[in-house]
Amino acid sequence: MSAKHIVYHIPVCPFSQRLEILLALRGRQDVIEFRVIDITKPRDPALLAKTRGTTALPVLETPDGRIIKESLIVLRYLDEVIGGPPLRRKDPVKHATESMLITREGPFTMAGYLFVMNQDRDRRDACADKLLSIYRDINDFLLEHNPDGRYLFDDFGLAEAVFAPMFMRFWFLEYYEGFQLPDTPEYHRVRAWMQACLSHEATGQVTREEIVKLYYDYALGAGNGALVEGRSVSSFTFTPHWRDRPWPPRDKYGDNASDEALGLVA
Ligand SMILES: N[C@@H](CCC(=O)N[C@@H](CS)C(=O)NCC(=O)O)C(=O)O
């Protein structure tokens, strides 16, 4: 791959991190020019014209101007066009197996995001149960295909690049919901997989502190840079930098913190 591809993205976005993980694994961060989009501001009409009106990111623009959307598709595309050992398994049965695991990412992501965004304390247990049922399903899948390993197969591959960013985002559940995987056998295999993904050197693009601070508004039910009632700055803002802000309150069901208390205004 010679000419540069462009990826329009939102820093800290898990879907975009999938692509960053692939580049880190290949040591080829040079092949993509990442252009940062501020989700708290109106979208540039020129970009909207390219995407034909859709706003979800990441979006990849090929050197000849074609637009490719959806992180799983962009990931598979880049896996093919960037030189080096592919993330996807070459063996057709193994590739089918990793693809079956990847079909779980949508429901998994949805369950985690609905949980963090839930504002009704009485629905908390139902949200946790839903997410735990998916963890158990993944646990069972991993036991079926590689009972004694850490990854789905021998090493970090396509399924790991897809799930690792979500395991990291779900640090917001630990912080805002006190959610932990129970220490019982039905979660041991998925916990080992999760830990292997989180400790892999190619997944270090974001930190727990960054996620907890930026996703505070999600914990109040406001996603995608939307403003929480009574606030004038989104927790997704670029300035002040998240490092310079205090940790948000853990109790998402209590009083909402102000812009000032969150360190969002000078
Ligand atoms: N299914 C999409 C989801 C992408 C997505 O939801 N991205 C979020 C950022 S994490 C986004 O762009 N939100 C802003 C918007 O949708 O306008 C993918 O895998 O690429």
Side-chain angles (χ1 to χ4, degrees), residues 25-43:
L25 285 164
R26 298 277 173 86
R28 292 303 310 272
Q29 287 88 341
D30 58 300
V31 297
I32 301 284
E33 179 193 332
F34 281 97
R35 292 203 186 153
V36 171
I37 304 298
D38 186 343
I39 195 175
T40 68
K41 309 233 162 84
R43 197 63 51 87

Side-chain angles (χ1 to χ4, degrees), residues 81-154:
V81 298
I82 301 173
L87 261 187
R88 61 154 286 175
R89 302 291 140 165
K90 284 196 185 122
D91 174 77
V93 171
K94 285 189 169 169
H95 182 52
T97 304
E98 67 190 353
S99 298
M100 284 192 286
L101 181 51
I102 290 168
T103 61
R104 277 125 169 123
E105 78 80 34
F108 182 68
T109 300
M110 179 69 77
Y113 275 69
L114 286 177
F115 190 5
V116 78
M117 294 181 78
N118 169 50
Q119 299 303 295
D120 179 355
R121 215 187 277 264
D122 293 340
R123 289 206 54 252
R124 195 202 161 272
D125 289 351
C127 290
D129 288 348
K130 175 70 197 163
L131 183 58
L132 286 171
S133 73
I134 301 173
Y135 272 112
R136 286 195 300 276
D137 174 55
I138 296 174
N139 193 83
D140 189 57
F141 189 91
L142 293 166
L143 280 179
E144 179 187 352
H145 296 283
N146 187 2
D148 302 318
R150 298 178 72 217
Y151 298 110
L152 170 58
F153 300 116
D154 304 341

Side-chain angles (χ1 to χ4, degrees), residues 23-245:
L23 300 182
L25 285 164
R26 298 277 173 86
R28 292 303 310 272
Q29 287 88 341
D30 58 300
V31 297
I32 301 284
E33 179 193 332
F34 281 97
R35 292 203 186 153
V36 171
I37 304 298
D38 186 343
I39 195 175
T40 68
K41 309 233 162 84
R43 197 63 51 87
D44 177 3
L47 181 55
L48 280 179
K50 286 183 202 245
T51 60
R52 303 179 76 84
T54 65
T55 55
L57 299 171
V59 165
L60 178 132
E61 184 174 354
T62 65
D64 63 356
R66 288 164 204 259
I67 293 294
I68 303 179
K69 305 182 201 177
E70 285 300 321
S71 62
L72 294 183
I73 295 168
V74 177
L75 183 64
R76 287 172 188 267
Y77 167 80
L78 289 176
D79 194 30
E80 277 184 51
V81 298
I82 301 173
L87 261 187
R88 61 154 286 175
R89 302 291 140 165
K90 284 196 185 122
D91 174 77
V93 171
K94 285 189 169 169
H95 182 52
T97 304
E98 67 190 353
S99 298
M100 284 192 286
L101 181 51
I102 290 168
T103 61
R104 277 125 169 123
E105 78 80 34
F108 182 68
T109 300
M110 179 69 77
Y113 275 69
L114 286 177
F115 190 5
V116 78
M117 294 181 78
N118 169 50
Q119 299 303 295
D120 179 355
R121 215 187 277 264
D122 293 340
R123 289 206 54 252
R124 195 202 161 272
D125 289 351
C127 290
D129 288 348
K130 175 70 197 163
L131 183 58
L132 286 171
S133 73
I134 301 173
Y135 272 112
R136 286 195 300 276
D137 174 55
I138 296 174
N139 193 83
D140 189 57
F141 189 91
L142 293 166
L143 280 179
E144 179 187 352
H145 296 283
N146 187 2
D148 302 318
R150 298 178 72 217
Y151 298 110
L152 170 58
F153 300 116
D154 304 341
D155 53 8
F156 195 102
L158 188 62
E160 284 76 16
V162 168
F163 277 88
M166 286 310 155
F167 292 143
M168 301 175 115
R169 297 310 169 285
F170 290 2
W171 286 326
F172 55 44
L173 294 174
E174 227 177 84
Y175 189 84
Y176 293 113
E177 289 286 358
F179 175 80
Q180 298 280 352
L181 269 191
D183 190 10
T184 52
E186 56 203 330
Y187 302 102
H188 282 174
R189 182 62 185 89
V190 69
R191 184 197 304 279
W193 187 47
M194 187 169 78
Q195 284 170 348
C197 290
L198 294 178
S199 60
H200 194 282
E201 58 187 11
T203 63
Q205 293 84 6
V206 290
T207 64
R208 180 174 175 275
E209 178 178 355
E210 182 179 5
I211 285 171
V212 165
K213 290 182 178 177
L214 267 67
Y215 281 85
Y216 177 65
D217 291 355
Y218 270 82
L220 302 183
N224 281 327
L227 270 183
V228 174
E229 208 183 309
R231 293 252 312 283
S232 62
V233 186
S234 160
S235 60
F236 267 88
T237 189
F238 293 155
T239 51
H241 194 280
W242 56 265
R243 268 194 213 94
D244 303 324
R245 309 184 210 161

